[in-house]
Amino acid sequence: MKKLHIETYGCQMNVADSEVVASILSPYYTITDSLREADLILLNTCSVRDNAEQRIRKRLRELASLKKKNKNLLLGLLGCMAERIKEQLLEQEKALDFIAGPDAYRSLPQLIEGASLGNTSFNVLLSEKETYDDIDPVRYDSNGISAFIAIMRGCNNFCSYCVVPYTRGRERSREPKTIIEEAQNLFEKGFREVTLLGQNVNSYYWKDVLSNMDFADLVEKIAQISPLLRVRYATSHPKDISDKLLLIMAKYPNVCHYIHLPVQSGSNNMLKKMNRVYSREYYLERIRKIKEILPDCAISTDIIAGFCGETEQDHQDTLNLMKEVGYEYAFMFKYSVREGTKAAEKFEDDITEELKIKRLEEIIALQQQLSLESNKRDIGKTVTVLVEGISKRSDEYLFGRNSQNKVCVFPKKHYKIGDYVEVKIVKCTAGTLIGEAL
């Protein structure tokens, strides 16, 4: 059988998509880690930020040399970048043989067949219905313990800076029965943690003649599979996260006490320009409710530095909000214009690159401080860690995460991957808890 090599860039949703692609192509290809063995190389791309696209273009140029050595090698581009600039890519990246958008993966066998005959082609049609809910993903790069389950696709929010609604289409939810069955099957295969994925999981909703289910209901159903199956989810939109969901999280110990709640900016002026449809005050009210119902809940976020028209006061508002919330960690970026978005059409990208970098560095430095302070508060506590693997720094240590999604390392002893271990935290860094198994 021929060999397939997949490289995945960007978010967790892309990882889940790559597993769907591996399943669709499994009758024709087996997965290989080796580029030299590969008959087909697929790059599953992200288009959210410019540096992600530049990274892909660089990778395409690197892979072009492989095609010169192997005339039968096929190279395909998948995902959001494929959807966004398909014509430019096919014209500029001569090594590419075909392109498939996020809703076109079922057509990959046909695209590949055409490419093998010398026909460069693409399929980037968006769908109002495609959820791949009948596809059993191939977990080809998994640790056998943690898995992603895509519960919905697309986005309806249209934040002014974001390309996702244009590259992944409008929101549509998977039938809950297929999601619950996928989680059940994973547990029976030995997986001990699932992460439910969507651009905005809080807006998950399914209604038919048999059932009426929102996201909190779905989380509860999956939590009920087994107390040994941890449940996580990403990503939450602040406008939709409900008290009902928080109460479900408090009710079931195996629903992890961790919420990724992107704020993007602490300034009402910036939030309005970003079309985030909530205010700073509303966001902080949701934070207070989380901490009231789940006092030990860890909260992470996304922050954009240097959005269009951002003043120094807007930037200070963001820093002050970070301090007030006390995030455990954050994904932090400087703004980059994305063609086709409302921000690109309506606003001038008027913050200099130098100032964007300066503000981003201040945000990163503050978050390092906040992360260290949060981890220091865990010293002396005992936490339950799900073992995921061997520490990269020492074969004598294992690593895993606690309910709050914090990475913990501890001496291996007799424990193995997949075990739940009670660990007393004895020291830490800004990114890691270090402990001793009890």
Side-chain angles (χ1 to χ4, degrees), residues 238-275:
K239 71 179 176 63
D240 294 317
I241 190 165
S242 67
D243 291 1
K244 178 182 175 181
L245 174 60
L246 301 178
L247 291 168
I248 291 294
M249 294 176 69
K251 179 179 179 181
Y252 294 91
N254 57 323
V255 180
C256 292
H257 288 190
Y258 164 67
I259 297 174
H260 184 62
L261 199 65
V263 67
Q264 308 300 359
S265 174
S267 159
N268 280 333
N269 292 332
M270 292 296 98
L271 291 173
K272 185 175 181 180
K273 290 183 84 170
M274 291 175 173
N275 194 36

mmCIF file of all heavy atoms in Angstrom, residues 238-275:
data_model
loop_
_atom_site.group_PDB
_atom_site.id
_atom_site.type_symbol
_atom_site.label_atom_id
_atom_site.label_comp_id
_atom_site.label_asym_id
_atom_site.label_seq_id
_atom_site.Cartn_x
_atom_site.Cartn_y
_atom_site.Cartn_z
ATOM 1 N N PRO A 238 -17.203 34.088 25.191
ATOM 2 C CA PRO A 238 -17.721 34.687 26.430
ATOM 3 C C PRO A 238 -19.215 35.006 26.390
ATOM 4 O O PRO A 238 -19.884 34.932 27.417
ATOM 5 C CB PRO A 238 -16.893 35.969 26.568
ATOM 6 C CG PRO A 238 -15.603 35.645 25.877
ATOM 7 C CD PRO A 238 -15.985 34.770 24.711
ATOM 8 N N LYS A 239 -19.742 35.327 25.215
ATOM 9 C CA LYS A 239 -21.151 35.718 25.146
ATOM 10 C C LYS A 239 -22.092 34.540 25.380
ATOM 11 O O LYS A 239 -23.273 34.743 25.658
ATOM 12 C CB LYS A 239 -21.471 36.370 23.789
ATOM 13 C CG LYS A 239 -21.475 35.416 22.600
ATOM 14 C CD LYS A 239 -21.811 36.146 21.317
ATOM 15 C CE LYS A 239 -21.736 35.249 20.096
ATOM 16 N NZ LYS A 239 -22.673 34.140 20.082
ATOM 17 N N ASP A 240 -21.587 33.314 25.275
ATOM 18 C CA ASP A 240 -22.454 32.142 25.302
ATOM 19 C C ASP A 240 -22.230 31.196 26.471
ATOM 20 O O ASP A 240 -23.022 30.276 26.673
ATOM 21 C CB ASP A 240 -22.288 31.329 24.005
ATOM 22 C CG ASP A 240 -22.774 32.083 22.790
ATOM 23 O OD1 ASP A 240 -23.839 32.710 22.882
ATOM 24 O OD2 ASP A 240 -22.085 32.049 21.746
ATOM 25 N N ILE A 241 -21.157 31.362 27.234
ATOM 26 C CA ILE A 241 -20.878 30.391 28.288
ATOM 27 C C ILE A 241 -21.941 30.545 29.387
ATOM 28 O O ILE A 241 -22.143 31.629 29.922
ATOM 29 C CB ILE A 241 -19.444 30.524 28.830
ATOM 30 C CG1 ILE A 241 -19.116 29.337 29.736
ATOM 31 C CG2 ILE A 241 -19.205 31.857 29.509
ATOM 32 C CD1 ILE A 241 -17.644 29.195 30.025
ATOM 33 N N SER A 242 -22.626 29.451 29.713
ATOM 34 C CA SER A 242 -23.818 29.518 30.545
ATOM 35 C C SER A 242 -23.570 29.044 31.978
ATOM 36 O O SER A 242 -22.676 28.237 32.239
ATOM 37 C CB SER A 242 -24.929 28.656 29.931
ATOM 38 O OG SER A 242 -24.579 27.279 29.987
ATOM 39 N N ASP A 243 -24.397 29.519 32.896
ATOM 40 C CA ASP A 243 -24.367 29.019 34.268
ATOM 41 C C ASP A 243 -24.690 27.522 34.291
ATOM 42 O O ASP A 243 -24.141 26.773 35.110
ATOM 43 C CB ASP A 243 -25.373 29.766 35.133
ATOM 44 C CG ASP A 243 -24.984 31.210 35.370
ATOM 45 O OD1 ASP A 243 -23.942 31.644 34.840
ATOM 46 O OD2 ASP A 243 -25.723 31.916 36.079
ATOM 47 N N LYS A 244 -25.567 27.087 33.413
ATOM 48 C CA LYS A 244 -25.936 25.671 33.336
ATOM 49 C C LYS A 244 -24.703 24.814 33.077
ATOM 50 O O LYS A 244 -24.508 23.771 33.727
ATOM 51 C CB LYS A 244 -26.970 25.459 32.224
ATOM 52 C CG LYS A 244 -27.399 24.009 32.032
ATOM 53 C CD LYS A 244 -28.396 23.906 30.877
ATOM 54 C CE LYS A 244 -28.766 22.451 30.582
ATOM 55 N NZ LYS A 244 -29.723 22.337 29.446
ATOM 56 N N LEU A 245 -23.843 25.258 32.158
ATOM 57 C CA LEU A 245 -22.619 24.515 31.872
ATOM 58 C C LEU A 245 -21.701 24.498 33.090
ATOM 59 O O LEU A 245 -21.126 23.459 33.435
ATOM 60 C CB LEU A 245 -21.897 25.135 30.675
ATOM 61 C CG LEU A 245 -20.522 24.560 30.332
ATOM 62 C CD1 LEU A 245 -20.611 23.070 29.999
ATOM 63 C CD2 LEU A 245 -19.883 25.331 29.184
ATOM 64 N N LEU A 246 -21.551 25.631 33.747
ATOM 65 C CA LEU A 246 -20.683 25.704 34.931
ATOM 66 C C LEU A 246 -21.178 24.774 36.036
ATOM 67 O O LEU A 246 -20.376 24.131 36.723
ATOM 68 C CB LEU A 246 -20.611 27.146 35.437
ATOM 69 C CG LEU A 246 -20.071 28.192 34.451
ATOM 70 C CD1 LEU A 246 -20.104 29.573 35.091
ATOM 71 C CD2 LEU A 246 -18.666 27.838 33.980
ATOM 72 N N LEU A 247 -22.489 24.666 36.195
ATOM 73 C CA LEU A 247 -23.048 23.785 37.221
ATOM 74 C C LEU A 247 -22.826 22.316 36.866
ATOM 75 O O LEU A 247 -22.583 21.489 37.758
ATOM 76 C CB LEU A 247 -24.536 24.077 37.404
ATOM 77 C CG LEU A 247 -24.852 25.444 38.041
ATOM 78 C CD1 LEU A 247 -26.338 25.771 37.924
ATOM 79 C CD2 LEU A 247 -24.414 25.470 39.501
ATOM 80 N N ILE A 248 -22.867 21.984 35.573
ATOM 81 C CA ILE A 248 -22.542 20.615 35.137
ATOM 82 C C ILE A 248 -21.082 20.313 35.447
ATOM 83 O O ILE A 248 -20.727 19.222 35.926
ATOM 84 C CB ILE A 248 -22.823 20.440 33.628
ATOM 85 C CG1 ILE A 248 -24.327 20.485 33.342
ATOM 86 C CG2 ILE A 248 -22.213 19.144 33.098
ATOM 87 C CD1 ILE A 248 -25.124 19.351 33.919
ATOM 88 N N MET A 249 -20.196 21.282 35.201
ATOM 89 C CA MET A 249 -18.780 21.098 35.492
ATOM 90 C C MET A 249 -18.556 20.866 36.987
ATOM 91 O O MET A 249 -17.687 20.082 37.382
ATOM 92 C CB MET A 249 -17.981 22.311 35.020
ATOM 93 C CG MET A 249 -17.966 22.489 33.511
ATOM 94 S SD MET A 249 -17.109 24.010 33.004
ATOM 95 C CE MET A 249 -15.405 23.600 33.435
ATOM 96 N N ALA A 250 -19.331 21.552 37.806
ATOM 97 C CA ALA A 250 -19.191 21.390 39.256
ATOM 98 C C ALA A 250 -19.763 20.049 39.724
ATOM 99 O O ALA A 250 -19.291 19.482 40.713
ATOM 100 C CB ALA A 250 -19.901 22.542 39.969
ATOM 101 N N LYS A 251 -20.750 19.540 39.006
ATOM 102 C CA LYS A 251 -21.432 18.311 39.407
ATOM 103 C C LYS A 251 -20.601 17.061 39.155
ATOM 104 O O LYS A 251 -20.642 16.110 39.938
ATOM 105 C CB LYS A 251 -22.761 18.221 38.655
ATOM 106 C CG LYS A 251 -23.581 16.978 38.962
ATOM 107 C CD LYS A 251 -24.896 16.996 38.185
ATOM 108 C CE LYS A 251 -25.724 15.748 38.455
ATOM 109 N NZ LYS A 251 -26.991 15.754 37.677
ATOM 110 N N TYR A 252 -19.821 17.068 38.057
ATOM 111 C CA TYR A 252 -19.084 15.865 37.649
ATOM 112 C C TYR A 252 -17.582 16.091 37.817
ATOM 113 O O TYR A 252 -16.985 16.903 37.100
ATOM 114 C CB TYR A 252 -19.397 15.508 36.196
ATOM 115 C CG TYR A 252 -20.824 15.084 35.979
ATOM 116 C CD1 TYR A 252 -21.806 16.021 35.639
ATOM 117 C CD2 TYR A 252 -21.212 13.756 36.141
ATOM 118 C CE1 TYR A 252 -23.123 15.639 35.458
ATOM 119 C CE2 TYR A 252 -22.529 13.363 35.953
ATOM 120 C CZ TYR A 252 -23.476 14.317 35.622
ATOM 121 O OH TYR A 252 -24.787 13.930 35.442
ATOM 122 N N PRO A 253 -16.937 15.371 38.728
ATOM 123 C CA PRO A 253 -15.492 15.549 38.958
ATOM 124 C C PRO A 253 -14.640 15.267 37.722
ATOM 125 O O PRO A 253 -13.524 15.786 37.624
ATOM 126 C CB PRO A 253 -15.191 14.542 40.071
ATOM 127 C CG PRO A 253 -16.494 14.304 40.745
ATOM 128 C CD PRO A 253 -17.533 14.407 39.669
ATOM 129 N N ASN A 254 -15.143 14.437 36.792
ATOM 130 C CA ASN A 254 -14.342 14.112 35.605
ATOM 131 C C ASN A 254 -14.474 15.146 34.501
ATOM 132 O O ASN A 254 -13.806 15.035 33.468
ATOM 133 C CB ASN A 254 -14.708 12.720 35.058
ATOM 134 C CG ASN A 254 -16.171 12.563 34.723
ATOM 135 O OD1 ASN A 254 -17.040 13.077 35.415
ATOM 136 N ND2 ASN A 254 -16.454 11.835 33.650
ATOM 137 N N VAL A 255 -15.315 16.176 34.677
ATOM 138 C CA VAL A 255 -15.318 17.317 33.749
ATOM 139 C C VAL A 255 -14.284 18.301 34.270
ATOM 140 O O VAL A 255 -14.418 18.844 35.370
ATOM 141 C CB VAL A 255 -16.699 17.981 33.654
ATOM 142 C CG1 VAL A 255 -16.646 19.157 32.678
ATOM 143 C CG2 VAL A 255 -17.749 16.967 33.191
ATOM 144 N N CYS A 256 -13.227 18.496 33.510
ATOM 145 C CA CYS A 256 -12.060 19.231 34.006
ATOM 146 C C CYS A 256 -12.391 20.686 34.322
ATOM 147 O O CYS A 256 -13.159 21.343 33.608
ATOM 148 C CB CYS A 256 -10.936 19.160 32.982
ATOM 149 S SG CYS A 256 -10.267 17.496 32.807
ATOM 150 N N HIS A 257 -11.785 21.174 35.383
ATOM 151 C CA HIS A 257 -11.999 22.539 35.832
ATOM 152 C C HIS A 257 -11.011 23.468 35.130
ATOM 153 O O HIS A 257 -10.070 23.989 35.728
ATOM 154 C CB HIS A 257 -11.880 22.630 37.347
ATOM 155 C CG HIS A 257 -13.045 22.013 38.050
ATOM 156 N ND1 HIS A 257 -13.267 22.136 39.399
ATOM 157 C CD2 HIS A 257 -14.083 21.270 37.575
ATOM 158 C CE1 HIS A 257 -14.378 21.494 39.719
ATOM 159 N NE2 HIS A 257 -14.878 20.956 38.626
ATOM 160 N N TYR A 258 -11.260 23.621 33.863
ATOM 161 C CA TYR A 258 -10.406 24.458 33.013
ATOM 162 C C TYR A 258 -11.269 25.027 31.894
ATOM 163 O O TYR A 258 -12.017 24.287 31.242
ATOM 164 C CB TYR A 258 -9.255 23.641 32.429
ATOM 165 C CG TYR A 258 -8.565 24.317 31.253
ATOM 166 C CD1 TYR A 258 -7.837 25.489 31.439
ATOM 167 C CD2 TYR A 258 -8.657 23.791 29.960
ATOM 168 C CE1 TYR A 258 -7.224 26.113 30.366
ATOM 169 C CE2 TYR A 258 -8.037 24.407 28.891
ATOM 170 C CZ TYR A 258 -7.325 25.571 29.096
ATOM 171 O OH TYR A 258 -6.727 26.196 28.038
ATOM 172 N N ILE A 259 -11.186 26.345 31.699
ATOM 173 C CA ILE A 259 -11.963 27.006 30.643
ATOM 174 C C ILE A 259 -11.046 27.935 29.858
ATOM 175 O O ILE A 259 -10.369 28.787 30.441
ATOM 176 C CB ILE A 259 -13.138 27.808 31.231
ATOM 177 C CG1 ILE A 259 -14.110 26.869 31.949
ATOM 178 C CG2 ILE A 259 -13.870 28.578 30.129
ATOM 179 C CD1 ILE A 259 -15.221 27.598 32.691
ATOM 180 N N HIS A 260 -11.034 27.735 28.538
ATOM 181 C CA HIS A 260 -10.328 28.671 27.658
ATOM 182 C C HIS A 260 -11.350 29.696 27.194
ATOM 183 O O HIS A 260 -12.276 29.373 26.451
ATOM 184 C CB HIS A 260 -9.712 27.927 26.477
ATOM 185 C CG HIS A 260 -8.904 28.838 25.590
ATOM 186 N ND1 HIS A 260 -7.785 29.496 26.045
ATOM 187 C CD2 HIS A 260 -9.062 29.206 24.289
ATOM 188 C CE1 HIS A 260 -7.282 30.227 25.072
ATOM 189 N NE2 HIS A 260 -8.043 30.074 23.998
ATOM 190 N N LEU A 261 -11.200 30.939 27.647
ATOM 191 C CA LEU A 261 -12.195 31.985 27.408
ATOM 192 C C LEU A 261 -11.518 33.203 26.763
ATOM 193 O O LEU A 261 -11.097 34.137 27.447
ATOM 194 C CB LEU A 261 -12.859 32.371 28.733
ATOM 195 C CG LEU A 261 -14.188 33.098 28.638
ATOM 196 C CD1 LEU A 261 -15.261 32.211 28.025
ATOM 197 C CD2 LEU A 261 -14.644 33.582 30.012
ATOM 198 N N PRO A 262 -11.400 33.209 25.442
ATOM 199 C CA PRO A 262 -10.689 34.297 24.753
ATOM 200 C C PRO A 262 -11.323 35.659 25.015
ATOM 201 O O PRO A 262 -12.533 35.823 24.852
ATOM 202 C CB PRO A 262 -10.817 33.913 23.270
ATOM 203 C CG PRO A 262 -11.004 32.434 23.281
ATOM 204 C CD PRO A 262 -11.830 32.163 24.495
ATOM 205 N N VAL A 263 -10.503 36.623 25.418
ATOM 206 C CA VAL A 263 -10.984 37.985 25.635
ATOM 207 C C VAL A 263 -10.571 38.888 24.476
ATOM 208 O O VAL A 263 -11.279 39.816 24.115
ATOM 209 C CB VAL A 263 -10.489 38.554 26.976
ATOM 210 C CG1 VAL A 263 -8.984 38.762 26.997
ATOM 211 C CG2 VAL A 263 -11.231 39.847 27.322
ATOM 212 N N GLN A 264 -9.374 38.663 23.909
ATOM 213 C CA GLN A 264 -8.787 39.405 22.779
ATOM 214 C C GLN A 264 -8.324 40.801 23.175
ATOM 215 O O GLN A 264 -7.264 41.237 22.773
ATOM 216 C CB GLN A 264 -9.734 39.463 21.580
ATOM 217 C CG GLN A 264 -10.291 38.139 21.122
ATOM 218 C CD GLN A 264 -9.226 37.124 20.686
ATOM 219 O OE1 GLN A 264 -8.034 37.402 20.706
ATOM 220 N NE2 GLN A 264 -9.668 35.938 20.316
ATOM 221 N N SER A 265 -9.118 41.527 23.959
ATOM 222 C CA SER A 265 -8.708 42.856 24.428
ATOM 223 C C SER A 265 -9.461 43.189 25.697
ATOM 224 O O SER A 265 -10.598 42.730 25.901
ATOM 225 C CB SER A 265 -9.002 43.921 23.365
ATOM 226 O OG SER A 265 -8.733 45.223 23.867
ATOM 227 N N GLY A 266 -8.856 44.009 26.548
ATOM 228 C CA GLY A 266 -9.533 44.473 27.750
ATOM 229 C C GLY A 266 -10.199 45.821 27.572
ATOM 230 O O GLY A 266 -10.745 46.373 28.526
ATOM 231 N N SER A 267 -10.168 46.342 26.358
ATOM 232 C CA SER A 267 -10.719 47.669 26.073
ATOM 233 C C SER A 267 -12.072 47.563 25.387
ATOM 234 O O SER A 267 -12.214 46.875 24.373
ATOM 235 C CB SER A 267 -9.755 48.445 25.169
ATOM 236 O OG SER A 267 -10.414 49.500 24.495
ATOM 237 N N ASN A 268 -13.076 48.265 25.898
ATOM 238 C CA ASN A 268 -14.386 48.273 25.247
ATOM 239 C C ASN A 268 -14.325 48.840 23.836
ATOM 240 O O ASN A 268 -15.051 48.390 22.943
ATOM 241 C CB ASN A 268 -15.395 49.063 26.085
ATOM 242 C CG ASN A 268 -15.948 48.247 27.240
ATOM 243 O OD1 ASN A 268 -16.010 47.026 27.178
ATOM 244 N ND2 ASN A 268 -16.340 48.939 28.309
ATOM 245 N N ASN A 269 -13.455 49.824 23.632
ATOM 246 C CA ASN A 269 -13.315 50.386 22.282
ATOM 247 C C ASN A 269 -12.837 49.320 21.296
ATOM 248 O O ASN A 269 -13.363 49.199 20.183
ATOM 249 C CB ASN A 269 -12.324 51.556 22.290
ATOM 250 C CG ASN A 269 -12.848 52.758 23.039
ATOM 251 O OD1 ASN A 269 -14.058 52.961 23.123
ATOM 252 N ND2 ASN A 269 -11.945 53.544 23.604
ATOM 253 N N MET A 270 -11.836 48.559 21.711
ATOM 254 C CA MET A 270 -11.302 47.519 20.837
ATOM 255 C C MET A 270 -12.298 46.368 20.671
ATOM 256 O O MET A 270 -12.466 45.830 19.570
ATOM 257 C CB MET A 270 -9.979 46.979 21.398
ATOM 258 C CG MET A 270 -8.831 47.967 21.364
ATOM 259 S SD MET A 270 -8.343 48.449 19.670
ATOM 260 C CE MET A 270 -9.213 50.016 19.492
ATOM 261 N N LEU A 271 -12.968 45.990 21.744
ATOM 262 C CA LEU A 271 -13.947 44.897 21.657
ATOM 263 C C LEU A 271 -15.056 45.244 20.671
ATOM 264 O O LEU A 271 -15.517 44.382 19.916
ATOM 265 C CB LEU A 271 -14.533 44.607 23.039
ATOM 266 C CG LEU A 271 -13.578 43.980 24.049
ATOM 267 C CD1 LEU A 271 -14.233 43.899 25.426
ATOM 268 C CD2 LEU A 271 -13.127 42.593 23.602
ATOM 269 N N LYS A 272 -15.481 46.503 20.669
ATOM 270 C CA LYS A 272 -16.518 46.920 19.724
ATOM 271 C C LYS A 272 -16.000 46.848 18.289
ATOM 272 O O LYS A 272 -16.690 46.345 17.394
ATOM 273 C CB LYS A 272 -16.987 48.333 20.056
ATOM 274 C CG LYS A 272 -18.156 48.797 19.204
ATOM 275 C CD LYS A 272 -18.661 50.161 19.666
ATOM 276 C CE LYS A 272 -19.858 50.603 18.803
ATOM 277 N NZ LYS A 272 -20.367 51.929 19.244
ATOM 278 N N LYS A 273 -14.778 47.347 18.057
ATOM 279 C CA LYS A 273 -14.204 47.293 16.703
ATOM 280 C C LYS A 273 -13.959 45.852 16.252
ATOM 281 O O LYS A 273 -14.048 45.531 15.075
ATOM 282 C CB LYS A 273 -12.889 48.075 16.651
ATOM 283 C CG LYS A 273 -13.054 49.574 16.770
ATOM 284 C CD LYS A 273 -11.732 50.303 16.642
ATOM 285 C CE LYS A 273 -11.362 50.523 15.186
ATOM 286 N NZ LYS A 273 -10.207 51.446 15.036
ATOM 287 N N MET A 274 -13.655 44.982 17.208
ATOM 288 C CA MET A 274 -13.435 43.562 16.893
ATOM 289 C C MET A 274 -14.750 42.796 16.681
ATOM 290 O O MET A 274 -14.717 41.629 16.293
ATOM 291 C CB MET A 274 -12.657 42.896 18.036
ATOM 292 C CG MET A 274 -11.220 43.346 18.166
ATOM 293 S SD MET A 274 -10.468 42.583 19.651
ATOM 294 C CE MET A 274 -8.756 43.090 19.449
ATOM 295 N N ASN A 275 -15.882 43.450 16.979
ATOM 296 C CA ASN A 275 -17.202 42.819 16.893
ATOM 297 C C ASN A 275 -17.294 41.591 17.799
ATOM 298 O O ASN A 275 -17.855 40.563 17.430
ATOM 299 C CB ASN A 275 -17.549 42.419 15.444
ATOM 300 C CG ASN A 275 -19.021 42.080 15.278
ATOM 301 O OD1 ASN A 275 -19.884 42.688 15.904
ATOM 302 N ND2 ASN A 275 -19.322 41.096 14.444
#
